[in-house]
Amino acid sequence: MPTAIPQDRYTHCFTLLHVLDEEIQDVEIMNGRLDAEKLETLAAHGLIDPKSADAIYICGPEPMIRAASAAMLALGVDEERVKFELFTPAPGAAAPKPAAAANGGAAPAKSASTVDIILDGARRSLVVDASADTVLTAAMRAGLDIPYSCAGGMCCTCRCKVVEGEASMDENYSLEPWELEAGFVLACQSRPTTDRLVLDFDAQ
């Protein structure tokens, strides 16, 4: 008797469904933008089982991400298991409300604050006018090479921890709630709200 090849023996481990919005397929549910209604229908027919997944990863246009995330929560998936990645906000999309100040409540940005940057064990200082600059833009102007990529609050490359003082963020698309509670911020979106702010880029 021939031995089953691996992909036949483990079909229960992986399921791939193609839902295409620009190509017509024979099965109607597989046509069009993946939205909440489609996900609910797929779940109702047993084609997907979101509640049994260890994690849900979503990537795509922001409206689809928002709709799919909401659908997963409505289907009973715990919020911490829904992960998504944004590259750019959708045109005209409303930005998230500014995050509360790290290590304190929301506060107005300071016009001139001393910001210490801890990176690779070294400490550098600069003055940030929060009415004009984020920590990242001020650091770049001062010639400091701090890590960043998108500069839009989405990639988390500039993640750092507030170890002294307070800061508020203009936007946050990437930090998890536990990171915010632990005092992490995004340098590209952060503005000091106290006279002195210390940011540790080495913190984990």
Side-chain angles (χ1 to χ4, degrees):
M1 182 175 179
T3 302
I5 55 178
Q7 60 262 37
D8 293 332
R9 292 171 58 193
Y10 301 106
T11 55
H12 63 286
C13 294
F14 182 77
T15 301
L16 176 64
L17 301 175
H18 291 283
V19 180
L20 306 176
D21 64 351
E22 294 184 358
E23 296 181 29
I24 301 301
Q25 303 184 87
D26 293 335
V27 181
E28 181 59 31
I29 189 63
M30 299 301 178
N31 296 321
R33 175 67 60 88
L34 189 64
D35 55 18
E37 183 180 358
K38 275 189 170 57
L39 289 168
E40 290 164 2
T41 302
L42 291 170
H45 286 81
L47 294 173
I48 60 173
D49 184 13
K51 289 185 69 173
S52 70
D54 294 327
I56 306 291
Y57 295 95
I58 308 169
C59 185
E62 184 174 0
M64 187 206 76
I65 289 176
R66 300 300 183 194
S69 297
M72 292 298 102
L73 299 183
L75 289 169
V77 178
D78 293 335
E79 185 173 2
E80 62 269 19
R81 290 195 288 131
V82 179
K83 313 294 182 183
F84 58 83
E85 182 178 30
L86 291 168
F87 293 100
T88 58
K97 297 292 184 183
N103 294 347
K110 302 292 288 185
S111 59
S113 301
T114 299
V115 178
D116 284 6
I117 303 290
I118 301 172
L119 178 62
D120 297 330
R123 183 184 289 242
R124 298 282 300 276
S125 294
L126 68 152
V127 174
V128 178
D129 178 356
S131 65
D133 288 317
T134 62
V135 170
L136 174 62
T137 54
M140 293 173 65
R141 184 174 289 111
L144 298 186
D145 186 18
I146 64 175
Y148 78 96
S149 181
C150 74
M154 292 168 278
C155 72
C156 218
T157 302
C158 63
R159 174 182 180 267
C160 53
K161 187 173 185 178
V162 175
V163 295
E164 184 180 333
E166 297 177 6
S168 63
M169 287 191 291
D170 296 339
E171 298 179 355
N172 171 39
Y173 291 102
S174 55
L175 292 176
E176 298 284 350
W178 73 265
E179 292 173 296
L180 296 173
E181 291 174 7
F184 286 96
V185 295
L186 302 171
C188 73
Q189 299 298 312
S190 293
R191 301 175 190 270
T193 58
T194 51
D195 291 330
R196 179 176 171 79
L197 175 66
V198 179
L199 298 175
D200 187 354
F201 284 81
D202 298 335
Q204 299 298 316

